[in-house]
Amino acid sequence: MTRFANIIAAAGLVTLLSSCSSLTLDQVQFGWPVESVLTVTPANLVQDGYHGLSFNVARIAGEEFQDTTALVGKEIRLLRSNEGFYFLTGKKFRNVYVLKAGPHELSLKSKITVSPAGLQDPALNQRPPYIQLLDGKNSQKMLTSDDIVEGKQ
Amino acid sequence: MKTTASGLLLFLLCALTVLPAFGQESDYAVKEGFEEAFRLISARIETATTIASLDSLKAEIDALEITYTDKSELLDKVLYPETFVEKIKGLRTMQTLTYDKVYLIQTQGVRLDELQMKVVYLTNKLDTLSAQRDRLWADLQTAQKSNAELRETVKRLQANLAAKDRLIFALVDSIFLPFGKDLSQLGDVPRESLGRQLEKANVIGRVEEIANDNVKFLSVTQLQGKDYGNLVDQYQQFNTRWKGLRDKMAAVAQASGRGPSGAGAGKAKGQPALTEAPGPDTTGARVDSTLVQWGNKLQSMFWGGIRKEFTDKGVTIDPFVDAPSFAASIRTLAAGLKASGQDPSLFVNEIWKARIDKEWRDALTREGMLGKAEYASLDKLVSELNPEKLDLKFIIYLFVVVLLVFGGWWFFVRKPKVTRIEPE
């Protein structure tokens, strides 16, 4: 009897704890209809007034160009996918950076190499379930948050 | 039509430049291209000043809509909370409103041009009449002419002055007409434009000149009783129209916040206050003064002329200077004649009937003078002084008629019968 009571109590505790630990909403679409083209300030910041987003790109510049100030005055292109990942790239970038949001930070989810020679005229389009990367008139790739699924050379 | 086609072509070229390859283009470039084209067309609509350019812009809106219809789904998201359709509709509304505005301005501009031409024509006409008037003055003062010739000159001069009266107010109407009726609501720009036009046409100066001419005319001419009817009308019309003009100018001055004391020609900001100017009469005060002079001169000449009719016949009457005192004098004279039993025939027949009623009645019955009712009352009073006697002519006519009737009766009815003698 005592054993049975212990089992009941343990089950109740598990149910209570599981209900308190997480409340998850589903069918969320984070995607932006169109990319944001943002100019990097001398302080290495980009600010997207429309979406209320700002962050420092010094570490991206260091990672891509080995120079933390390489992006100052340049434009970067940012698009959020429906999953909620931020796709970031720009002219002369060899990679597309996929970032995920955390408390006061964007952390790297993946780095997708798209052009060993560097992109000439990049643009990001929302093409659910993918993100389309264009480079000028003739190059297009479909990206997931991890890899190139179409147009891989 | 050519402008419309070229505008459309230009727009399509721009659109093609912005959208180099539909099918594989950046959504961002589509958004930027649409927004840039929208901004460009909006700006051009705002600054459009001709119907032709607005026609061309309408075609550009059509082209914009056609170009981006395929992208309307994307644009609906990008333009949120507006939609692509709403943006195009807004552009069309803006184009239509501007079209109406420009159309109105252009048509009003044509009307304004017509009125400006009329003002110039009337101004020239007034100048011509002034030159003609100067010649007539000279004729009147220097030439040795017969009475008939002088009379003719006076008539022409009077007609000249009347024409100038009419012209100056036609000129004023032409100037004020484009500015509508509610002058107190005039904005700074139209008010200053109106002020400039009044100043350019020298309206107040001309009104004053015409009033002075009329005073001078009364001073130098010998007028007859029948002349005064028109002169009284002319004075009253001029006076009424001048008051109207002065009120309009006061309304314009009030619109500028200067109040009625500065009611002049609506001068531009920064210019001296109108009442301060010692030179030209910008307030109309001198015109008012000249009009008072004109009215007084007309009244004194008119009543003096009637008084002379009495003195010339040796009839003593109480002095009179205006309509009430004239009526009172006539009533006093009539009462005196009635009470004393004197023969009123000199007054009734030779002055009232032969002179006042024939020569002066026209002017006396004017509302500004005695008026019709008062004249009829005096006429009845005077007529009662001299009861109608049996007219000799009437008796003779009656006698002749009776004689004819009797003769006819005698001839046809009582004619002696011819006695027929029967042969035995």
Side-chain angles (χ1 to χ4, degrees):
Chain A
M1 186 64 191
T2 310
R3 192 179 172 191
F4 180 72
N6 285 341
I7 291 168
I8 294 294
L13 187 64
V14 167
T15 308
L16 183 68
L17 286 173
S18 66
S19 66
C20 291
S21 67
S22 67
L23 170 68
T24 306
L25 307 181
D26 55 7
Q27 297 179 28
V28 180
Q29 300 289 336
F30 290 102
W32 296 349
V34 71
E35 67 183 329
S36 290
V37 179
L38 308 168
T39 303
V40 180
T41 67
N44 257 323
L45 287 170
V46 288
Q47 290 184 319
D48 183 347
Y50 184 78
H51 296 105
L53 175 71
S54 69
F55 54 89
N56 191 303
V57 294
R59 294 188 67 182
I60 293 276
E63 180 75 15
E64 187 70 19
F65 302 107
Q66 292 75 50
D67 175 6
T68 56
T69 62
L71 286 173
V72 172
K74 305 281 193 311
E75 286 180 339
I76 60 135
R77 310 180 88 90
L78 185 73
L79 180 62
R80 197 173 193 191
S81 69
N82 276 342
E83 293 167 290
F85 298 114
Y86 292 91
F87 287 68
L88 188 153
T89 192
K91 268 188 184 176
K92 298 183 182 173
F93 274 52
R94 284 173 284 115
N95 304 292
V96 171
Y97 292 84
V98 182
L99 307 161
K100 63 179 178 184
H104 291 290
E105 65 175 25
L106 287 171
S107 57
L108 186 68
K109 179 175 187 300
S110 63
K111 185 168 118 182
I112 306 167
T113 302
V114 289
S115 169
L119 297 165
Q120 298 305 305
D121 187 15
L124 297 166
N125 288 335
Q126 189 75 251
R127 297 286 182 268
Y130 308 113
I131 295 295
Q132 182 184 49
L133 172 70
L134 304 177
D135 187 21
K137 294 176 185 176
N138 303 317
S139 168
Q140 65 162 338
K141 292 179 172 63
M142 291 296 185
L143 312 176
T144 64
S145 58
D146 299 311
D147 203 359
I148 301 168
V149 292
E150 193 184 307
K152 197 180 218 176
Q153 291 175 348
Chain B
M1 190 66 194
K2 196 178 172 183
T3 319
T4 308
S6 60
L8 187 60
L9 189 65
L10 181 73
F11 177 78
L12 286 173
L13 280 173
C14 289
L16 288 173
T17 312
V18 173
L19 301 173
F22 257 21
Q24 187 182 295
E25 77 270 76
S26 158
D27 290 349
Y28 179 77
V30 172
K31 168 188 168 265
E32 289 289 294
F34 177 79
E35 286 181 342
E36 181 59 24
F38 184 91
R39 202 163 34 243
L40 199 71
I41 294 174
S42 298
R44 286 178 57 203
I45 289 173
E46 275 178 9
T47 55
T49 53
T50 63
I51 297 290
S53 64
L54 283 158
D55 282 336
S56 159
L57 284 163
K58 186 174 184 294
E60 289 187 28
I61 296 168
D62 292 341
L64 180 72
E65 187 173 21
I66 292 165
T67 309
Y68 285 96
T69 295
D70 289 346
K71 297 289 169 188
S72 63
E73 198 180 333
L74 169 72
L75 290 171
D76 285 349
K77 289 177 187 170
V78 169
L79 300 170
Y80 182 83
E82 283 186 282
T83 63
F84 170 68
V85 171
E86 284 171 359
K87 289 289 254 187
I88 294 292
K89 192 178 168 189
L91 215 49
R92 289 194 191 285
T93 306
M94 189 180 176
Q95 188 269 346
T96 308
L97 290 175
T98 311
Y99 186 96
D100 291 346
K101 189 176 76 182
V102 169
Y103 177 79
L104 190 69
I105 290 168
Q106 281 196 352
T107 48
Q108 286 280 16
V110 172
R111 178 89 182 109
L112 275 174
D113 287 347
E114 283 172 8
L115 288 169
Q116 293 280 6
M117 284 174 68
K118 193 174 172 189
V119 166
V120 171
Y121 167 76
L122 290 171
T123 311
N124 288 337
K125 185 91 179 158
L126 273 168
D127 291 340
T128 311
L129 283 172
S130 294
Q132 189 190 41
R133 172 211 60 195
D134 291 343
R135 284 197 303 276
L136 288 168
W137 283 131
D139 276 4
L140 199 64
Q141 286 171 340
T142 59
Q144 296 295 317
K145 290 186 170 182
S146 68
N147 274 346
E149 282 172 331
L150 279 173
R151 186 87 195 126
E152 185 57 31
T153 307
V154 167
K155 269 187 179 174
R156 287 174 60 197
L157 191 54
Q158 197 177 350
N160 174 287
L161 292 176
K164 282 186 82 176
D165 288 2
R166 285 195 305 274
L167 278 179
I168 184 64
F169 290 108
L171 175 70
V172 168
D173 286 346
S174 300
I175 291 173
F176 275 96
L177 196 61
F179 296 93
K181 286 184 179 173
D182 196 357
L183 294 168
S184 61
Q185 300 299 316
L186 275 187
D188 278 354
V189 174
R191 181 175 50 74
E192 284 177 20
S193 164
L194 177 59
R196 271 198 306 276
Q197 287 188 51
L198 289 170
E199 207 171 314
K200 192 179 165 192
N202 188 24
V203 168
I204 296 185
R206 287 180 188 279
V207 171
E208 188 186 354
E209 184 194 60
I210 291 169
N212 273 322
D213 283 352
N214 280 285
V215 174
K216 190 177 171 188
F217 173 77
L218 292 175
S219 306
V220 299
T221 46
Q222 290 291 323
L223 297 166
Q224 296 175 3
K226 280 181 177 171
D227 296 331
Y228 282 98
N230 286 336
L231 290 175
V232 169
D233 284 347
Q234 197 178 332
Y235 171 74
Q236 286 173 348
Q237 284 165 13
F238 194 94
N239 200 19
T240 307
R241 301 205 70 176
W242 161 245
K243 281 176 183 166
L245 172 61
R246 202 181 47 192
D247 290 348
K248 281 180 179 176
M249 293 200 301
V252 174
Q254 268 182 338
S256 71
R258 279 174 296 167
S261 62
K267 284 196 169 187
K269 285 174 187 172
Q271 291 191 349
L274 296 170
T275 44
E276 292 169 9
D281 180 16
T282 50
T283 62
R286 283 218 300 266
V287 178
D288 283 338
S289 156
T290 310
L291 271 173
V292 170
Q293 212 182 330
W294 179 0
N296 289 343
K297 186 80 188 168
L298 185 62
Q299 290 279 337
S300 74
M301 285 183 71
F302 179 76
W303 297 113
I306 294 181
R307 226 170 26 244
K308 195 165 175 295
E309 298 288 359
F310 287 84
T311 51
D312 284 354
K313 301 285 182 193
V315 172
T316 309
I317 187 168
D318 290 349
F320 52 86
V321 291
D322 53 18
S325 58
F326 171 72
S329 298
I330 294 294
R331 287 197 168 93
T332 307
L333 180 63
L337 287 170
K338 208 170 188 178
S340 66
Q342 282 180 314
D343 180 14
S345 60
L346 179 62
F347 165 58
V348 175
N349 296 329
E350 292 189 32
I351 297 176
W352 190 264
K353 288 187 175 172
R355 299 297 305 161
I356 305 291
D357 199 47
K358 280 186 181 167
E359 291 286 321
W360 298 88
R361 186 180 59 187
D362 184 41
L364 278 169
T365 51
R366 295 292 200 277
E367 282 312 309
M369 296 302 196
L370 269 182
K372 282 180 183 167
E374 181 70 341
Y375 183 83
S377 159
L378 290 179
D379 191 44
K380 189 181 172 198
L381 180 74
V382 174
S383 300
E384 284 169 359
L385 282 176
N386 201 10
E388 288 289 336
K389 289 174 183 173
L390 209 52
D391 196 341
L392 187 61
K393 281 180 185 173
F394 179 75
I395 293 169
I396 292 168
Y397 289 144
L398 193 66
F399 178 73
V400 169
V401 169
V402 169
L403 203 63
L404 285 172
V405 169
F406 183 74
W409 174 77
W410 179 262
F411 187 74
F412 290 111
V413 181
R414 298 291 307 270
K415 190 177 178 183
K417 288 174 183 172
V418 178
T419 311
R420 194 180 289 174
I421 302 167
E422 296 289 333
E424 292 183 5

